[in-house]
């Protein structure tokens, strides 16, 4: 361990207060350049423990850096994971409050609703799909607590992978009913196309992304549970938005999801 005793709690306080006070802070690795991925996940776990103590409920998982392009950009070969809580759930019909966020960005994702528990270290994409009750179109709102949205991999892991909010569309379908690995998507802001993408951008298939997370959790004796919601990773670049903007993601076969920001 490169972190002295108690430093992890100090970092948790630092990140939580940045989130609560809606301000950007310098990244953790500016102070602790040796921070390892394992230490960063330990900080993330403590950060979630604190959120739970303060009344949040963990309702699932999110994947990050699932596209090869994003991984190359960060100079890494792995995806990352964080947790989502009930407090992050936003609704299509209720505008997001811009004042509660720092410098949010929206990204299109496919949400998985688990119909069974799943745990292991050799789980395949097929097993994930068999254990998935529904998939649905989603938009994740990420809001890094770090200055200018800039960080290293260890920083972003500690910051629960920039998690802030997510919105799920109303069209939920069995993953058996469509070709989930091959869905086109158009992301628009205020009616203008901002990004286009395809579900294959997520490690070739969103199911593969979820399988990666399950296997990664399996290494530390954890898994996913029936009822968990899993955001499988952005299928295009994230776009910034401001107060007054409306973001809309249209997926082939899965329909659309949108939200506005006041
Ligand atoms: C990290 C979170 C990335 C995704 O879907 O790739 C993420 C970030 O880019 O801030 O959620
Ligand atoms: Mg995401």
């Amino acid at each position: 361990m490169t972190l002295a005793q108690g430093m992890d709690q100090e970092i948790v306080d630092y990140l939580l207060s940045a989130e609560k006070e809606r301000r950007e802070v310098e990244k953790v690795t500016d102070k602790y350049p040796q921070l390892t991925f394992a230490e960063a996940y330990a900080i993330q776990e403590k950060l979630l423990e604190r959120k739970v103590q303060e009344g949040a409920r963990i309702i699932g998982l999110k994947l990050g850096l699932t596209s090869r392009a994003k991984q190359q950009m960060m100079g890494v070969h792995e995806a990352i994971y964080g947790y989502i809580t009930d407090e992050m759930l936003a609704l299509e019909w209720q505008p997001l409050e811009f004042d509660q966020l720092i410098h949010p960005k929206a990204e299109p994702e496919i949400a998985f609703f688990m119909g069974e528990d799943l745990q292991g270290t050799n789980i395949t994409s097929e097993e994930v799909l068999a254990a998935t009750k529904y998939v649905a179109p989603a938009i994740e709102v990420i809001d890094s607590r770090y200055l200018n949205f800039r960080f290293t991999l260890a920083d972003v892991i500690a910051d629960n992978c920039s998690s802030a909010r997510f919105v799920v569309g109303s069209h939920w379908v069995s993953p058996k009913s469509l070709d989930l690995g091959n869905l086109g998507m158009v992301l628009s802001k205020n009616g203008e196309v901002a990004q286009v993408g395809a579900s294959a951008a997520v490690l070739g298939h969103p199911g593969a992304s979820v399988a990666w997370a399950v296997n990664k959790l399996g290494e530390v004796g954890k898994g996913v549970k029936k009822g968990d919601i899993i955001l499988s990773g952005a299928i295009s670049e994230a776009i910034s938005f401001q107060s007054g903007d409306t973001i809309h993601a249209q997926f082939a076969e899965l329909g659309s999801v949108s939200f506005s920001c006041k």
Side-chain angles (χ1 to χ4, degrees):
M1 294 288 266
T2 56
L3 284 180
Q5 189 88 29
M7 281 309 168
D8 47 0
Q9 285 298 352
E10 197 176 289
I11 297 170
V12 167
D13 285 338
Y14 177 73
L15 291 172
L16 283 176
S17 66
E19 182 179 353
K20 282 179 192 152
E21 293 160 22
R22 281 132 218 162
R23 55 185 173 80
E24 304 175 304
V25 292
E26 282 177 1
K27 59 192 194 301
V28 173
T29 56
D30 285 354
K31 199 166 171 192
Y32 303 103
Q34 309 298 332
L35 188 73
T36 65
F37 298 163
E39 287 167 337
Y41 275 114
I43 292 168
Q44 185 198 95
E45 195 175 320
K46 290 212 159 74
L47 188 133
L48 268 301
E49 276 169 18
R50 278 279 293 282
K51 282 183 183 274
V52 168
Q53 278 164 17
E54 291 170 12
R57 200 158 54 80
I58 293 174
I59 57 172
L61 213 58
K62 65 156 280 184
L63 280 290
L65 309 187
T66 46
S67 74
R68 302 276 180 233
K70 243 183 170 176
Q71 289 182 9
Q72 270 162 12
M73 217 171 74
M74 298 285 296
V76 296
H77 306 287
E78 266 210 342
I80 53 178
Y81 69 87
Y83 289 91
I84 53 178
T85 72
D86 58 339
E87 293 170 344
M88 297 175 190
L89 178 65
L91 303 172
E92 282 201 284
W93 53 92
Q94 190 173 301
L96 273 189
E97 306 256 354
F98 190 76
D99 292 355
Q100 293 182 357
L101 299 161
I102 306 167
H103 43 203
K105 296 183 187 182
E107 53 186 27
E109 307 222 0
I110 290 168
F112 284 63
F113 290 79
M114 301 311 296
E116 290 167 31
D117 295 359
L118 201 58
Q119 185 168 340
T121 50
N122 276 309
I123 301 292
T124 63
S125 185
E126 289 71 30
E127 288 172 290
V128 166
L129 297 182
T132 301
K133 188 155 186 193
Y134 303 114
V135 290
I139 300 175
E140 183 181 24
V141 172
I142 51 174
D143 195 25
S144 173
R145 268 51 70 172
Y146 301 123
L147 207 56
N148 302 322
F149 236 103
R150 295 254 166 84
F151 40 71
T152 68
L153 198 63
D155 288 306
V156 69
I157 291 168
D159 187 31
N160 194 27
C161 304
S162 311
S163 302
R165 299 283 189 279
F166 69 99
V167 187
V168 180
S170 56
H171 190 62
W172 301 10
V173 301
S174 163
K176 296 182 189 81
S177 69
L178 76 182
D179 182 5
L180 195 57
N182 195 20
L183 298 180
M185 183 289 311
V186 178
L187 184 70
S188 315
K189 178 158 90 176
N190 305 327
E192 284 190 24
V193 175
Q195 293 283 332
V196 292
S199 58
V202 182
L203 295 182
H205 190 297
S209 163
V210 175
W212 177 86
V214 174
N215 291 326
K216 189 83 184 163
L217 286 173
E219 288 172 16
V220 290
K222 297 182 189 167
V224 296
K225 296 263 178 269
K226 177 179 176 176
D228 279 356
I229 304 173
I230 304 177
L231 299 176
S232 54
I235 65 182
S236 76
E237 253 175 65
I239 60 167
S240 298
F241 61 88
Q242 306 288 333
S243 181
D245 287 340
T246 296
I247 308 288
H248 182 270
Q250 178 75 46
F251 290 77
E253 300 188 60
L254 272 181
S256 68
V257 51
S258 67
F259 70 89
S260 57
C261 182
K262 72 173 180 193

